[in-house]
Each structure stands twice: as C-alpha cells, then as structure tokens.
Amino acid sequence: VVSDREEPVIAERYIDLFINGQQTVRLMALPHQIEEMITGFLYSECIISRNEDIASLKFNPASMSVEVNLAEGIQPTFSDKIRSVTTACGRGLSFVTALNSDYFKPVTSNLTLTPQIVIDLMRSLQRTSSLFRETGGVHSAAIAENGTIEFCTDDIGRHNAVDKAIGWLLRAGRLTADSINPGILLTTGRMASEIIVKAVRARFAILISPSAPTSGAIQIAETHGLTLIGFARGELFNVYTHPERVAI
C-alpha cells in the first residue's frame, strides 16, 4: 500500500562563530542550545579552560551567528582560513595540536558502576530524546551521575551534541581544566577519536555508547585512562579499555 503522509524533518543550519571579532569557524548544527554548544566547542578546542574565560557570548538568531569575546589576556592563534565543520564522519581540521598535550592529561578517577547501571543508563538515554523518536535524524548526548541522567541534548552531529553537554557543565560551574568530573558521558554516535578527545578534555572517566569505537579511539582511551564502553544494547555491552571501573 502506497500513501502520502507528512513527517517531521530536522532543520540544519550553518552557524558562523566570531571570536574577538574574527570569523573563525562555520558549524552546521541543530539551532538550539547554541550557547552550550559554542562554550563546549571552545573548551574542547582548548581555546578556553573555564567558563570565566569568556567575557561575552551573544547569539544572533537572525544572522545565525555567535560573537564571542574572550577575557583579557586570552589570545588564541587561528588559521587564516575559515574552516567549516559539517556533520560528516570526519571533523576535518582542528585547532588542537600536539602543542596542546598539557590539556589532555590522563584521567584519574575511582568512579565505578555496575553492569546494570550501564544497561539502565543507555535505555534511559534512548527514551529521553523525543526528537529522535519523532524524526530519527539526530544524535543524543547526556551526562549522568549516581545512575541518573542529569542533562540530555540532541544535534545532527554527534560532536555537536557532546559539545553541548560539555558546555552545559561549564556554564553550570561544574567543570574546570583541573577538576575531576564525577559524571558519565553517554552518546548515541560512533566513538571516533574526536569524541574520545572531547571526553578526555572534559575529564570524564567513563564513556558509553550503543555504537562501535574506532581503533584510534581505543588507543587514546587506553592511554588517557578513559573507560570506553560500546555496543551497549539491550542486556549486553563491550568494555574496551580500563574495565576496572565496571564492578562485576
């Protein structure tokens, strides 16, 4: 049987980011929670180390642009070319280089969780996103603590969703470069190396996803003390690195 019907479709928009008056990057994203996304992006890219490093952040929905002024004394170095970050599998270029290695110290945390908590958290994440149920066109990211999801967000790009979660932590005053993050990061997307770098930068000890990790992601997670849990589906999941945080 063939029939015509209307279905909700995700709206993606380009968002231009200006830092200290200079156009820096163009992000393709779902146009909500923009302040959180930009804050998380700046932190992930090692442009800021705390929320107070942002003197002002203004989102203009008419022009779909964000103007950020950094605090006095913070002068990041940018490429002469404006880069675009799309929702494709690769992030493309990044401001993060080997010179930023001090920003990615190994995570030391005594946090542990039971297998049932892993199962329950992933089920909760999948139930939380009404936008995914309506459209099937977004990735979700969430922060959980004490077995409960505290914040959940969506975006067309998995890296944007993770940036929104990190930005929420920063804007809530719960994350600095030297803090130990008591939370767990969950994502519905594939765990490639750029997602692992974000998790390490935000000092998470555990990352959970129903999808697969890449070899590069596993290597970074192992080196930096991150417990990587993938294929968390139904009653099963795989622990790829630092299994000591899963109490069996």
Side-chain angles (χ1 to χ4, degrees):
V1 177
V2 178
S3 63
D4 292 332
R5 59 183 296 178
E6 293 186 357
E7 291 281 352
V9 176
I10 288 296
E12 56 186 4
R13 298 290 301 275
Y14 278 113
I15 299 168
D16 291 316
L17 172 61
F18 294 80
I19 302 178
N20 292 348
Q22 179 179 346
Q23 187 171 4
T24 305
V25 68
R26 173 170 288 174
L27 298 160
M28 182 178 286
L30 188 69
H32 82 124
Q33 294 178 318
I34 298 300
E35 292 86 354
E36 286 81 359
M37 183 183 73
I38 295 300
T39 301
F41 174 80
L42 294 175
Y43 186 84
S44 295
E45 296 290 334
C46 302
I47 296 171
I48 64 171
S49 293
R50 54 181 184 168
N51 191 51
E52 290 76 12
D53 290 341
I54 299 175
S56 64
L57 189 159
K58 297 180 181 179
F59 171 53
N60 186 335
S63 62
M64 295 305 294
S65 63
V66 179
E67 294 187 7
V68 172
N69 288 304
L70 300 177
E72 185 177 357
I74 301 177
Q75 294 292 335
T77 301
F78 304 122
S79 167
D80 292 334
K81 296 182 178 180
I82 298 170
R83 68 187 181 107
S84 294
V85 179
T86 70
T87 58
C89 291
R91 276 292 307 273
L93 299 174
S94 173
F95 297 130
V96 176
T97 70
L99 297 176
N100 299 120
S101 59
D102 287 344
Y103 291 104
F104 299 96
K105 298 175 182 178
V107 177
T108 56
S109 171
N110 295 323
L111 177 66
T112 61
L113 70 173
T114 66
Q116 190 60 51
I117 290 177
V118 175
I119 294 166
D120 291 344
L121 284 175
M122 187 49 59
R123 285 175 175 169
S124 180
L125 175 63
Q126 293 168 337
R127 290 194 303 264
T128 299
S129 176
S130 59
L131 195 58
F132 179 80
R133 293 196 301 271
E134 293 172 4
T135 67
V138 295
H139 283 293
S140 301
I143 295 170
E145 192 171 342
N146 298 322
T148 302
I149 289 181
E150 294 191 321
F151 176 80
C152 184
T153 187
D154 301 302
D155 202 274
I156 52 175
R158 64 189 187 278
H159 48 276
N160 289 342
V162 171
D163 278 341
K164 288 177 180 179
I166 294 172
W168 176 80
L169 276 177
L170 277 164
R171 291 168 68 86
R174 297 176 53 183
L175 177 62
T176 66
D178 299 321
S179 63
I180 297 176
N181 195 333
I184 299 165
L185 179 63
L186 298 101
T187 175
T188 57
R190 178 172 55 87
M191 295 184 291
S193 57
E194 76 273 12
I195 301 299
I196 308 307
V197 167
K198 289 178 184 294
V200 172
R201 170 69 172 140
R203 312 298 293 161
F204 286 103
I206 300 173
L207 173 60
I208 307 173
S209 173
S211 299
T214 63
S215 61
I218 293 172
Q219 182 178 4
I220 295 170
E222 180 64 38
T223 301
H224 289 81
L226 176 68
T227 297
L228 199 60
I229 300 175
F231 285 107
R233 305 173 183 178
E235 300 286 333
L236 302 174
F237 57 86
N238 296 341
V239 183
Y240 292 92
T241 58
H242 295 279
E244 65 275 7
R245 293 198 182 98
V246 182
I248 299 176

